[in-house]
Amino acid sequence: MGSQRKRPVRLTTQDREELVRVTTTGVRKASMIMRARVLLALDTSVGEVDSKAVIATRLGVSGETLRLVAKRFAETGGDVHATIARKKRDLPPVPSPVTGEVEARLIAMACSQPPSGYARWSLRLLEKHVALAEDIPDLDHSTIGRILKKRNCALI
């Protein structure tokens, strides 16, 4: 009962009705329904709450899930919708270094004559020459292979 004392979950009747509606009607994501059930089970406004182990067993989740949902409820200031919804990313995803211009330069390099001493281009040889080019970011041989495959370019 540590998390119930530390971060008690007290729901209003309107919040309880909304959570019951989420768990019983409509089509929602399983994670959203699971978090709604956890909030309903941890609600102290309707009476005494069972222990974490009993709730976890009954709902089929871990004790850590109970703790995290209670923590998220406290962090959102008791906002039920923010607690059960998916958390938004803090940082945007890292942009890809491969742009259309980089693809075009790479394909042009792969279609050109291989350096002297080589019969054809290989992915590792392209990787070395891309690293030497100043206007193309360093790319791994697997990335180069994906780019060429996407554009149906074969190294012959």
Side-chain angles (χ1 to χ4, degrees), residues 43-56:
D43 184 20
T44 59
S45 65
V46 293
E48 190 63 31
V49 178
D50 294 331
S51 69
K52 279 177 69 172
V54 171
I55 294 173

Side-chain angles (χ1 to χ4, degrees), residues 16-36:
R16 273 191 79 73
E17 290 170 0
E18 179 66 27
L19 290 175
V20 168
R21 210 172 309 123
V22 165
T23 59
T24 57
T25 61
V27 177
R28 305 249 181 1
K29 295 181 180 176
S31 59
M32 181 182 280
I33 294 171
M34 180 267 307
R35 285 189 290 265

Side-chain angles (χ1 to χ4, degrees), residues 77-92:
D79 186 7
V80 173
H81 295 289
T83 303
I84 65 172
R86 184 174 177 201
K87 188 175 173 182
K88 301 290 183 204
R89 281 181 74 125
D90 291 336
L91 299 174

Side-chain angles (χ1 to χ4, degrees), residues 1 21 29 32-33 35 43 64 76-78 89 93 97-98 125 128 133 137 139 143 145 147 149:
M1 283 244 315
R21 210 172 309 123
K29 295 181 180 176
M32 181 182 280
I33 294 171
R35 285 189 290 265
D43 184 20
E64 182 69 5
T76 59
R89 281 181 74 125
V98 180
L125 184 59
K128 289 178 187 175
L139 300 173
T143 305
I147 293 169
K149 183 178 181 181

